[in-house]
Amino acid sequence: MFEDDNNQENYSFPWKEYFSIIYRGRWWILLTFITISSLSTYYTLRMTPVFQAETTIEIKDKDNMFSDMSSPFNLKRSDRVIANNSELIKSRTVAKMVMDEVDKSEFAEHISVSKEVRKDLNENSRIQMLRRKLSIKPIKNTDILRLIITSSSPFEVSFLANTYAEQFELYSKLSNLGEVGAVTNFLKDQLDVIKKRLKLSEEALELYQKEGGIVVLEAETQLLIENSAKSEAKLNEIELNYQSANQKILFLKKELDEKSKRIVEDISRNATPEIEKLKIKVGELNAKKLNIELEKSAGYKRILKNLQKQIDNLEAKITEKAKYFANSAQASANPVEDKSDIMRKILEAQAEQIGLKAQAKKVQETINNYNKKIAMLPETATEFARLKRKYEIDEKTYIMMENKYNEYKIALAGQVGNARIVDKAITPKSPIRPDKPLYITIGLGVGLGLGVFISFLLAFFDNSIKTIEDIERFKINFLGAVPTINIKDMKKKMRKKMDDLTDSEKTKINSKLISHFSPKSPISEAYRTIRTNIYFSSVDSPPSVIVVSSSVPKEGKSTTSSNLAVTIAQSGKKVVLIDADLRRPVVHKNFNILREIGVTDFLIKNSSVRDISKMTDIENLSIITCGDIPPNPSELIASAKMDKFIEELKKEYDVIIFDTPPVITVTDAVVLSRKTDGIVLVVSSGTVGKEEVRRSQDLLRSVDANIIGVILNNLDIKKLYGNYYYYYHYYQYYYYYGADKKKKRRGRA
């Protein structure tokens, strides 16, 4: 985007300019590509592999098994059941069941969340770790869930996936087994308590024996303790059966309450919208019937009869709909019979509790008798007898409870839950990530893309003038482009000839007077092109008094004016190059001559042109140096003496070239441009910004100066590869003459 004549206009790069930008930013692209691709490869190879295993579980809606599945109510119910079971699988309760199985497993040492591996974490933290490894995905339009486990171990993912599926299947059975499930859960909890109590009793007995207590009891005492322990164990069994019966009663009472609620809820949820419509219509007919009865118009009895018939039909439809939705809700085919069966089970459990209470009373009397006998034992044997008796009670109670728990588990295994494992997980052979070839390829692509992006970003924010197209957008006459002059390359190419050159010629090489010591080079040809373009900038009256300047310092204006003067002199015209930079003169250094006696001598000391002009070893070229640096250069440039100076020069020379300070820095060039035929502006490629050139253009236009044109200096052809076609003829020229030189050398040989 550039501004021309202070107006901003959009600019889109041509496709060749894109290649130029990419070529200029090739090192950025290469650096970014190597850095990003190396980092992505390094991190990809260092990434911990992640494996995944999955099982599939079918979810059955037992309450909705025989209803019409095409019904919209049942479809919504099915979705809800799937969603509910998904959340149940992810619940902490199921995760706790899985964790318990993992800790008990023989493979616990291979599972990252087990107690054996993560001893530093408590149970809650390990359960959270386990839940983070799990994800649930329902399969669309089915009742099947995908249970997915991800981890860094292939064995672990398959083991956990299968354990999760098995434990959820068990959880589903427990949730759907009624009183059997409730009692099983109760027994499981009690079994854990008795197991811990037994361990404590055993440790206490062993400790007493180690400390020198009695190790062997008399036979009569041993028998007494065994019988007492059996009686105590029997009492514990009775109490356990009593609590189990109590668990049955609690569950059945809850079931009885929910039975009544479920019928009402299912009917109202599904049937309410349709039944309400029918009831509204009945209400409207009843209102109409009441109005007719009140009015008693002619034939009203016949109308009332018809209305009553319509109401009866609607009432029948309401009854029919209620029955239909009650059946589809799967509450119960016969709710009264269903509730009677529950009541029967409750009465049976209560009767069992009454019998257990009476039995417990009798057993307690027996235990009291044994306790009296134990109290009569010698004092030395009493403590050991107590510990021995407690251990045997706990042992027998544990065995009894374990047997009862196993009985219920067998009953449990014969039951069917809502969940069924369809496919078990298998151990994966390869990880799901990282996909090393893909990740590395992405890294290569990102590195390359980011490098290109950086190149275009730098080009976007780079406000400097680099190419011929940039100059042409300022609507200024373009005179030509001068490639970069590389002194080191020139010396290298001419190393064999350097001994034949004079000190003056060596100085000219260092001062970049390439038009003199290498007249057939592409750079010299560029200056000849500029010379021609200056001549033809005004066909009727070619400019003879020319100011050469730049926008800012260090753009190569003095080198350009020197080479331009040499090139014009080579065309046969008598040329004088004047160093009008009265602040920082450079021209005398380019030609290795003394600065003293120059422009200021004419302007201040009234010297003549012939007195201050210096001949060079270049035919037709004279130099007028700056002379002594004055305190008021701007006043001297603007004085009438300068006008006289120019008139005197016109009498002696065909072409007069002034080398002046930068336009923006001081006003000398602007003032002098009004006294001459025009000004040539030198712009260094990639150095000066567009705003500086525009500012110079505005300053010159403000005094109506004639801007002959712009020279693009220091153009790096190799760097600007995209614009190579503009400069191809320079190389053709160079190769052509270079070939001639080689032929001449061969001829001499």
Side-chain angles (χ1 to χ4, degrees):
M1 196 175 290
F2 304 92
E3 292 180 9
D4 295 331
D5 298 325
N6 297 324
N7 292 322
Q8 191 172 1
E9 61 181 21
N10 292 329
Y11 168 71
S12 59
F13 287 106
W15 64 270
K16 290 184 179 179
E17 194 69 26
Y18 287 133
F19 288 109
S20 174
I21 292 172
I22 291 172
Y23 186 78
R24 292 199 303 271
R26 62 191 181 278
W27 297 115
W28 276 108
I29 295 172
L30 183 62
L31 177 64
T32 308
F33 175 77
I34 292 173
T35 302
I36 299 297
S37 58
S38 299
L39 288 174
S40 66
T41 302
Y42 174 77
Y43 283 111
T44 298
L45 295 177
R46 290 291 303 274
M47 284 178 70
T48 302
V50 177
F51 294 87
Q52 180 175 290
E54 68 174 62
T55 61
T56 51
I57 300 175
E58 182 185 14
I59 304 299
K60 297 178 181 179
D61 186 4
K62 292 175 69 177
D63 290 337
N64 207 32
M65 194 174 294
F66 302 105
S67 61
D68 182 10
M69 295 305 296
S70 63
S71 169
F73 302 112
N74 290 324
L75 289 175
K76 289 180 181 179
R77 180 187 175 95
S78 177
D79 291 341
R80 188 173 65 253
V81 169
I82 292 295
N84 290 343
N85 279 273
S86 297
E87 293 302 315
L88 287 173
I89 295 173
K90 292 186 286 186
S91 68
R92 191 183 183 284
T93 302
V94 175
K96 174 70 168 58
M97 293 173 66
V98 175
M99 187 61 71
D100 290 341
E101 287 299 311
V102 168
D103 290 339
K104 290 189 295 184
S105 170
E106 59 182 319
F107 304 111
E109 61 182 5
H110 303 295
I111 309 301
S112 63
V113 295
S114 68
K115 187 177 181 180
E116 186 173 345
V117 175
R118 297 308 303 266
K119 295 178 182 178
D120 57 319
L121 298 178
N122 57 33
E123 186 179 60
N124 286 335
S125 299
R126 292 189 297 114
I127 288 175
Q128 289 302 321
M129 284 180 62
L130 175 63
R131 294 173 72 185
R132 284 195 290 269
K133 295 177 182 289
L134 172 70
S135 59
I136 307 294
K137 293 185 179 179
I139 299 176
K140 194 174 182 180
N141 298 325
T142 69
D143 293 331
I144 296 177
L145 294 173
R146 294 170 59 210
L147 191 154
I148 303 168
I149 296 288
T150 54
S151 184
S152 58
S153 166
F155 171 77
E156 179 179 317
V157 292
S158 59
F159 179 82
L160 287 179
N162 288 325
T163 305
Y164 239 115
E166 290 164 2
Q167 291 305 304
F168 180 67
E169 189 178 40
L170 176 62
Y171 174 83
S172 177
K173 286 181 181 180
L174 290 172
S175 300
N176 289 280
L177 286 176
E179 67 272 17
V180 177
V183 173
T184 304
N185 287 333
F186 170 73
L187 290 174
K188 186 176 184 298
D189 294 338
Q190 291 300 311
L191 189 62
D192 291 338
V193 173
I194 295 298
K195 186 177 181 180
K196 292 177 182 177
R197 198 166 75 190
L198 174 61
K199 187 176 181 181
L200 292 174
S201 300
E202 185 179 10
E203 290 174 352
L205 181 62
E206 288 177 356
L207 181 63
Y208 184 82
Q209 289 176 331
K210 285 179 182 178
E211 290 177 351
I214 299 174
V215 177
V216 180
L217 292 171
E218 294 180 1
E220 185 179 353
T221 305
Q222 180 68 31
L223 181 62
L224 177 65
I225 290 172
E226 287 180 2
N227 290 335
S228 175
K230 286 179 181 178
S231 300
E232 195 76 43
K234 184 64 177 176
L235 181 62
N236 288 338
E237 182 181 2
I238 293 169
E239 289 178 355
L240 180 66
N241 289 334
Y242 185 88
Q243 292 296 330
S244 298
N246 193 52
Q247 289 294 321
K248 284 184 184 179
I249 293 168
L250 291 174
F251 179 84
L252 291 168
K253 284 183 177 180
K254 185 178 179 182
E255 182 92 357
L256 184 63
D257 292 339
E258 290 181 352
K259 280 290 180 181
S260 300
K261 289 179 182 178
R262 192 165 60 194
I263 296 170
V264 176
E265 288 174 354
D266 285 352
I267 292 175
S268 66
R269 181 175 60 248
N270 295 334
T272 297
E274 292 193 33
I275 291 176
E276 275 187 352
K277 291 179 182 178
L278 295 174
K279 285 183 176 179
I280 289 170
K281 205 164 186 180
V282 169
E284 291 173 352
L285 291 174
N286 280 322
K288 189 175 181 181
K289 181 181 174 184
L290 180 61
N291 289 332
I292 293 172
E293 286 178 345
L294 292 173
E295 291 176 0
K296 294 184 179 181
S297 58
Y300 76 95
K301 290 184 178 180
R302 180 175 54 81
I303 296 172
L304 289 175
K305 187 177 180 181
N306 290 333
L307 287 174
Q308 186 60 49
K309 188 175 181 181
Q310 292 179 36
I311 291 169
D312 292 340
N313 290 335
L314 288 173
E315 292 287 357
K317 283 185 179 180
I318 291 171
T319 303
E320 184 180 350
K321 286 285 182 184
K323 288 180 180 179
Y324 170 76
F325 283 112
N327 291 332
S328 65
Q330 289 295 307
S332 175
N334 191 341
V336 176
E337 182 181 341
D338 198 30
K339 287 192 286 184
S340 298
D341 185 57
I342 294 172
M343 288 299 298
R344 179 182 56 78
K345 289 181 180 180
I346 292 174
L347 291 173
E348 286 176 355
Q350 289 175 341
E352 183 183 359
Q353 283 185 321
I354 292 170
L356 289 170
K357 276 185 179 181
Q359 189 179 359
K361 186 176 180 181
K362 292 292 183 183
V363 174
Q364 186 64 55
E365 290 176 358
T366 304
I367 292 172
N368 291 337
N369 291 332
Y370 283 128
N371 287 338
K372 289 178 182 178
K373 292 179 181 180
I374 291 173
M376 294 173 65
L377 292 173
E379 188 176 345
T380 55
T382 303
E383 180 63 19
F384 180 73
R386 186 184 66 78
L387 294 173
K388 180 73 173 176
R389 175 172 170 268
K390 187 174 188 314
Y391 168 71
E392 289 188 4
I393 290 170
D394 291 339
E395 183 183 33
K396 294 179 187 304
T397 303
Y398 179 77
I399 293 171
M400 174 272 300
M401 191 171 291
E402 188 175 36
N403 291 334
K404 189 169 288 290
Y405 175 67
N406 289 331
E407 288 174 7
Y408 273 93
K409 279 185 71 176
I410 292 169
L412 192 65
Q415 302 294 328
V416 179
N418 285 358
R420 181 179 69 87
I421 298 174
V422 178
D423 285 323
K424 287 197 171 185
I426 58 175
T427 303
K429 294 181 179 179
S430 58
I432 58 168
R433 61 178 182 271
D435 185 343
K436 292 180 181 179
L438 176 62
Y439 283 22
I440 292 173
T441 302
I442 291 173
L444 296 176
V446 170
L448 183 62
L450 185 60
V452 173
F453 174 75
I454 290 173
S455 298
F456 276 89
L457 192 65
L458 291 173
F460 179 79
F461 287 106
D462 185 2
N463 197 40
S464 64
I465 291 177
K466 292 180 287 295
T467 64
I468 295 170
E469 293 87 344
D470 294 339
I471 297 294
E472 290 174 342
R473 290 182 196 111
F474 283 92
K475 309 300 181 183
I476 305 176
N477 185 32
F478 175 68
L479 298 175
V482 179
T484 302
I485 301 174
N486 193 315
I487 298 299
K488 291 182 180 179
D489 288 347
M490 291 177 185
K491 287 183 176 180
K492 187 177 180 181
K493 291 177 182 178
M494 301 182 69
R495 188 174 294 165
K496 294 180 181 179
K497 301 173 66 177
M498 285 295 285
D499 294 337
D500 301 329
L501 297 174
T502 64
D503 292 339
S504 177
E505 288 173 326
K506 291 179 181 179
T507 301
K508 289 182 177 66
I509 292 174
N510 291 327
S511 63
K512 301 183 181 181
L513 286 178
I514 194 167
S515 299
H516 172 60
F517 65 80
S518 184
K520 293 183 179 180
S521 68
I523 298 174
S524 298
E525 177 62 23
Y527 282 114
R528 283 191 283 274
T529 301
I530 293 168
R531 176 190 67 190
T532 303
N533 289 336
I534 290 174
Y535 286 165
F536 285 97
S537 63
S538 179
V539 180
D540 296 332
S541 56
S544 59
V545 184
I546 303 168
V547 174
V548 177
S549 186
S550 61
S551 299
V552 294
K554 305 295 183 182
E555 291 197 68
K557 62 175 181 57
S558 298
T559 301
T560 301
S561 61
S562 299
N563 279 283
L564 184 60
V566 171
T567 304
I568 296 174
Q570 288 172 347
S571 69
K573 292 183 180 292
K574 194 175 180 181
V575 181
V576 61
L577 174 61
I578 302 157
D579 193 347
D581 190 344
L582 305 183
R583 291 173 175 80
R584 298 178 63 184
V586 176
V587 171
H588 66 281
K589 295 180 181 178
N590 291 346
F591 290 90
N592 195 25
I593 57 178
L594 295 175
R595 188 192 69 195
E596 286 73 18
I597 307 176
V599 175
T600 55
D601 291 276
F602 182 92
L603 298 177
I604 299 173
K605 299 178 182 179
N606 297 320
S607 299
S608 66
V609 171
R610 291 185 180 182
D611 291 337
I612 63 175
S613 63
K614 302 175 179 66
M615 294 298 295
T616 65
D617 55 357
I618 300 171
E619 188 178 357
N620 298 324
L621 177 61
S622 298
I623 303 295
I624 298 177
T625 59
C626 168
D628 295 328
I629 298 176
N632 55 342
S634 297
E635 287 75 6
L636 291 176
I637 295 293
S639 66
K641 292 279 289 186
M642 179 57 75
D643 296 334
K644 182 181 178 182
F645 180 51
I646 294 172
E647 292 301 322
E648 291 291 329
L649 290 172
K650 288 181 179 179
K651 296 174 183 179
E652 297 290 333
Y653 301 98
D654 299 324
V655 178
I656 304 162
I657 298 175
F658 285 93
D659 180 53
T660 63
V663 173
I664 296 177
T665 308
V666 291
T667 61
D668 298 8
V670 177
V671 173
L672 196 56
S673 65
R674 286 280 296 154
K675 300 174 181 292
T676 60
D677 296 336
I679 183 170
V680 172
L681 203 61
V682 177
V683 174
S684 180
S685 175
T687 302
V688 64
K690 297 180 179 68
E691 290 302 322
E692 285 83 0
V693 175
R694 185 170 293 106
R695 175 64 177 157
S696 300
Q697 185 182 9
D698 293 341
L699 287 172
L700 293 170
R701 286 178 176 174
S702 66
V703 296
D704 293 328
N706 176 31
I707 303 175
I708 298 172
V710 175
I711 297 172
L712 185 61
N713 194 32
N714 294 325
L715 185 64
D716 192 337
I717 299 173
K718 293 181 180 179
K719 188 175 180 181
L720 298 174
Y721 179 78
N723 295 313
Y724 176 78
Y725 61 97
Y726 277 109
Y727 319 108
Y728 179 72
H729 63 285
Y730 296 148
Y731 285 99
Q732 289 290 82
Y733 184 88
Y734 178 77
Y735 292 146
Y736 177 77
Y737 283 99
D740 287 347
K741 288 181 181 179
K742 289 181 180 179
K743 289 178 182 178
K744 288 178 182 178
R745 289 175 184 171
R746 289 174 185 171
R748 289 175 185 173

